[in-house]
């Protein structure tokens, strides 16, 4: 019997293709705006300048200060730049860090956002914002955070280094993985997540051989869209909680941490969810957890938290923090169970 569900509807307009950066000026105009502040990291200033050139008179300027974890003092600087430039919307060109800055500006000023994602992290389709103030990261959900328009230009992902390509894709797969057993999942996220698994499975080995393979890049970005949409429409559980703890309290890098944890969090929940993770097992072979571990290994992903700088002596503290406040998860979360999961992820063994 078809499971009952609630489909919340989709509010973000999506433009996908090669060379779609050329459409950003029309998308800004379509929203009724005439002065866009372009956001980027210092690393992607040249791409942001090229976009500002395309925007011509519709460009209000560039703010190139986006950085990891969306520190609120950077947001304050960006908002000052936004007002000084008399901007009436933002265009965020980059990965999750730049998208995060655009969201932080939007939720404070009510401005519209056009996002041009250049990684697979998947912040662009979500109503989620993580911010840091005084060294503490907090995350919230609010409809005002969700971008109005996302322009996916496959060509912009050709420069994504192979290491980040792989870890960013596994970061995206983690959204789909938790989406398969989310209590508020619905047929749209299920279908897109299934398609995304197959697309990533086919794209990543091809990109490991040739990072400039345009067809594989298109498949990977299409998959990232599906995973981002899933993240943005359902509730996440243990995997995202652990990634948040390791990033927030131990300073581990975002995409790499998701990549290492993914097979272990999948294996932890797999026995508790019936056949809900079967799309992953079917796609990658074996059980879902082991299948993901072997796939990650085959495409050169990091496999050990130890290699990301996580110390074995911190395992107890991490397990303590991760189990301090209760949260919904298909399998009960015990301190010992999480300690064991983290030990496996620390050592990098296949979870089977
Ligand atoms: P990132 O945005 O920090 O990018 C990493 C580096 O790669 C940056 O220097 C960036 O300029 C560079 N880069 C990005 N795209 C590139 C390209 N195509 N070619 C060359 N260099 C490129 O990394 P990320 O993994 O995309 O994002 C991580 C952040 O996003 C974290 O802070 C995370 O919490 C957040 N995030 C938020 C959500 C959400 O829904 N709120 C979802 C996923 C990630």
């Amino acid at each position: 019997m078809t499971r009952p569900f609630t489909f919340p509807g989709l509010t973000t307009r999506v433009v996908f293709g090669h060379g779609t950066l050329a459409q950003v000026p029309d998308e800004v105009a379509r929203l009724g705006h005439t002065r866009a502040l372009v956001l980027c990291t210092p690393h992607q200033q040249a791409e942001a300048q090229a976009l500002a050139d395309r925007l011509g008179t519709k460009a209000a300027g560039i703010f190139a200060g986006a950085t990891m974890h969306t520190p609120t003092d950077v947001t304050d600087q960006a908002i000052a730049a936004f007002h000084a430039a008399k901007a009436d919307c933002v265009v965020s060109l980059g990965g999750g860090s730049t998208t995060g800055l655009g969201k932080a500006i939007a939720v404070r000023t009510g401005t519209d956002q056009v996002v041009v994602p250049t990684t697979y992290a998947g912040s662009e389709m979500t109503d989620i914002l993580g911010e840091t103030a005084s060294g503490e990261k907090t995350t919230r959900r609010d409809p005002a955070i969700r971008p109005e328009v996302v322009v996916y230009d496959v060509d912009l992902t050709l420069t994504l280094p192979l290491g980040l390509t792989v870890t960013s894709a596994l970061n995206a797969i983690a959204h789909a993985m938790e989406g398969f057993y989310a209590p508020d999942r619905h047929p749209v996220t299920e279908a897109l997540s299934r398609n995304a698994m197959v697309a990533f499975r086919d794209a990543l080995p091809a990109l490991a051989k040739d990072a400039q393979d345009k067809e594989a890049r298109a498949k990977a970005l299409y998959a990232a869209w599906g995973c981002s949409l899933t993240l943005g429409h359902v509730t996440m559980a243990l995997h995202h909680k652990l990634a948040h703890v390791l990033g927030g309290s131990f300073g581990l890098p975002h995409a790499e941490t998701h990549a290492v944890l993914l097979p272990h969090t999948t294996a932890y929940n797999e026995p508790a969810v019936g056949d809900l993770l079967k799309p992953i097992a079917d796609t990658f072979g074996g059980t879902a957890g082991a299948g993901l571990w072997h796939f990650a290994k085959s495409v050169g992903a990091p496999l050990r938290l130890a290699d990301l700088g996580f110390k074995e002596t911190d395992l107890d503290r991490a397990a303590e923090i991760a189990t301090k406040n209760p949260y919904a998860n298909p399998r009960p979360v015990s301190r010992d169970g999480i300690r064991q999961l983290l030990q496996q992820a620390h050592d990098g063994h296949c979870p089977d």
Side-chain angles (χ1 to χ4, degrees):
M1 208 186 75
T2 306
R3 186 179 162 271
F5 64 87
T6 301
F7 174 55
L10 302 177
T11 51
T12 302
R13 176 179 158 89
V14 173
V15 177
F16 185 100
H18 293 269
T20 48
L21 194 67
Q23 296 180 40
V24 171
D26 285 349
E27 291 301 325
V28 168
R30 206 176 163 277
L31 289 169
H33 297 307
T34 53
R35 288 184 68 75
L37 181 67
V38 179
L39 310 174
C40 64
T41 63
H43 181 73
Q44 286 177 294
Q45 236 165 318
E47 289 82 354
Q49 185 58 56
L51 175 55
D53 293 346
R54 276 181 195 275
L55 281 163
T57 55
K58 289 196 196 77
I62 296 174
F63 181 86
T67 187
M68 272 287 201
H69 306 307
T70 326
T72 52
D73 55 338
V74 173
T75 300
D76 292 343
Q77 290 165 28
I79 289 176
F82 181 85
H83 291 311
K86 297 192 167 40
D88 59 8
C89 69
V90 292
V91 178
S92 313
L93 182 145
S97 297
T98 305
T99 304
L101 175 61
K103 287 173 162 182
I105 297 172
V107 78
R108 287 167 174 78
T109 64
T111 193
D112 285 340
Q113 309 166 63
V114 176
V115 181
V116 185
T118 62
T119 70
Y120 309 132
S123 176
E124 63 276 4
M125 296 296 298
T126 85
D127 57 354
I128 306 168
L129 171 62
E131 299 182 280
T132 29
S134 316
E136 199 170 316
K137 188 165 181 176
T138 50
T139 301
R140 59 180 150 150
R141 291 188 97 136
D142 183 329
I145 289 168
R146 204 188 300 274
E148 279 64 30
V149 180
V150 178
V151 177
Y152 288 101
D153 186 340
V154 177
D155 297 346
L156 294 177
T157 62
L158 293 172
T159 51
L160 194 61
L162 184 59
L164 187 52
T165 296
V166 166
T167 53
S168 189
L170 291 164
N171 183 182
I173 291 174
H175 311 326
M177 189 281 284
E178 295 224 286
F180 283 125
Y181 53 61
D184 45 0
R185 66 190 181 276
H186 53 70
V188 174
T189 57
E190 285 170 340
L192 281 172
S193 291
R194 273 174 199 267
N195 289 351
M197 295 302 91
V198 174
F200 269 138
R201 178 201 63 199
D202 295 344
L204 283 192
L207 292 172
K209 282 202 195 90
D210 175 10
Q212 301 292 309
D213 180 334
K214 282 195 170 192
E215 189 45 40
R217 282 288 180 198
K219 273 188 188 161
L221 195 59
Y222 162 77
W225 167 60
C227 294
S228 179
L229 192 142
T230 296
L231 174 66
H233 290 84
V234 302
T235 308
M236 296 287 119
L238 174 70
H239 174 90
H240 284 75
K241 171 74 183 179
L242 286 185
H244 186 89
V245 167
L246 295 183
S249 302
F250 298 89
L252 296 199
H254 178 82
E256 290 90 334
T257 304
H258 275 277
V260 173
L261 284 177
L262 177 62
H264 304 281
T265 49
T266 305
Y268 184 89
N269 277 334
E270 200 167 2
V273 298
D275 63 0
L276 293 180
L277 290 175
K278 196 167 176 297
I280 294 188
D282 288 349
T283 306
F284 295 101
T287 61
L292 281 171
W293 188 87
H294 286 291
F295 177 69
K297 186 167 190 268
S298 74
V299 291
L303 296 172
R304 291 157 27 102
L305 288 179
D307 292 342
L308 308 185
F310 185 75
K311 295 192 208 71
E312 197 162 11
T313 47
D314 280 333
L315 280 168
D316 284 325
R317 195 160 66 90
E320 195 70 49
I321 299 172
T323 52
K324 202 166 55 185
N325 300 314
Y327 49 91
N329 188 61
R331 182 172 159 192
V333 174
S334 69
R335 197 197 158 284
D336 285 355
I338 298 309
R339 169 81 171 69
Q340 205 178 341
L341 184 166
L342 289 172
Q343 180 81 56
Q344 275 208 324
H346 174 273
D347 300 345
H349 300 311
C350 181
D352 252 9

